[in-house]
Amino acid sequence: MAAFRTHMPHGPWAVVAGASEGLGAAWVEALARRGLHVLAIGRRPKPLEETAQRLAAKHEVEVRTLAADLAEPGFADRLAAAGSGLEIGTAVYNAAFSFTGLLLDHPPQDAQRLVDVNVRGPLALIHQLVPAMVERRRGTVILMSSLAGNQGGPGLAAYAASKAFTTSLAESLHAELRPVGVDVLACVAGAVRTPGYAATVGRDAPGTLDPDQVVEAALAGLGRMALVTPGRTNKLAALVMRRVLPRATATAIMGRATKGFDAS
């Protein structure tokens, strides 16, 4: 974890968006364990508050909550108000929305919400928090992405496209902001054992990891690379799908893998 310790002076506070449970709660836990206070953001107030109270007591740090729908147009203003006066040196965007099945079988409102949460949300977070990091010449931004974004994803078309955006955004910002002391990382995760994944898929895919394994792999990559893919199986899958197979073949494989997903 030495790579992450170099980022500890980046401010006493961290922000985690999408923090109510699962992977987001694991992010809050990992940062609180390292002595950071956390502003935890989530859409559902009750599990968010339960997570905050449990981890604040366990790690003796302050964990504030902001119950907010990241798809709302006013999210950036609410984030600004909640973070006012806090020196925020670490920002994690873990929030995501997805639906499965053929794109045109869903109303356009589903795709719009996905864009709002998965695309507009991280941009709003970055514009709100990163300028102060640039001014201080230190900071860390972690964007949670997905192997689904490495190629087309029939049955997950909009989600896969949004995660391709996330990965590219992180790579670009890593190059833009590293010279001014701000480190940006995309964690390109495979399947993670979260309540949402269990409800949608219902079974472990090859390479499925626990949330804490994903978080620790991301933290270990800070300061060394723009992209981290946690897990040996997932690293191999990413290599094969991105570098070895033709993209049409990789897309067809993804289509077969998502056929059994429950519609949501």
Side-chain angles (χ1 to χ4, degrees):
M1 304 313 305
F4 182 67
R5 290 194 186 101
T6 65
H7 291 265
M8 291 297 286
H10 287 176
W13 281 87
V15 167
V16 178
S20 298
E21 61 183 9
L23 190 53
W27 272 111
V28 177
E29 168 109 52
L31 296 172
R33 187 168 63 245
R34 287 162 171 82
L36 295 181
H37 305 298
V38 182
L39 173 59
I41 304 171
R43 186 170 55 89
R44 293 174 297 142
K46 184 177 179 180
L48 182 67
E49 192 60 39
E50 290 172 350
T51 294
Q53 291 179 2
R54 174 175 61 84
L55 295 178
K58 180 178 180 181
H59 298 292
E60 299 183 338
V61 297
E62 187 174 355
V63 182
R64 299 184 186 180
T65 62
L66 171 61
D69 186 343
L70 281 74
E72 292 178 353
F75 166 66
D77 291 337
R78 296 195 62 196
L79 174 60
S84 178
L86 305 181
E87 185 179 336
I88 297 167
T90 299
V92 179
Y93 196 91
N94 172 70
F97 174 72
S98 66
F99 54 88
T100 58
L102 299 179
L103 177 66
L104 295 181
D105 285 348
H106 290 262
Q109 292 89 339
D110 286 353
Q112 183 60 60
R113 177 170 179 78
L114 184 145
V115 170
D116 288 341
V117 176
N118 299 6
V119 177
R120 288 182 61 254
L123 289 173
L125 186 91
I126 288 164
H127 279 289
Q128 183 59 48
L129 300 181
V130 174
M133 298 181 189
V134 172
E135 185 175 351
R136 293 192 299 266
R137 299 189 68 85
R138 59 187 185 274
T140 299
V141 178
I142 300 165
L143 304 180
M144 289 304 305
S145 192
S146 170
L147 290 176
N150 287 351
Q151 65 289 301
L156 288 171
Y159 178 77
S162 73
K163 291 305 176 179
F165 171 87
T166 301
T167 300
S168 181
L169 177 65
E171 285 183 304
S172 301
L173 292 179
H174 178 84
E176 290 182 4
L177 297 176
R178 194 171 189 182
V180 294
V182 178
D183 190 30
V184 182
L185 175 81
C187 180
V188 186
V192 186
R193 293 184 188 95
T194 64
Y197 180 80
T200 302
V201 181
R203 66 183 188 279
D204 276 4
T208 300
L209 299 175
D210 290 325
D212 63 307
Q213 293 176 293
V214 174
V215 171
E216 293 302 326
L219 292 176
L222 280 173
R224 299 191 296 114
M225 58 193 72
L227 305 179
V228 168
T229 298
R232 291 183 179 180
T233 299
N234 295 324
K235 285 184 175 69
L236 179 60
L239 175 65
V240 171
M241 297 287 271
R242 294 189 73 177
R243 303 289 179 85
V244 178
L245 296 177
R247 289 189 67 86
T249 302
T251 298
I253 291 172
M254 279 295 297
R256 291 195 292 272
T258 59
K259 270 189 176 179
F261 286 10
D262 296 329
S264 61

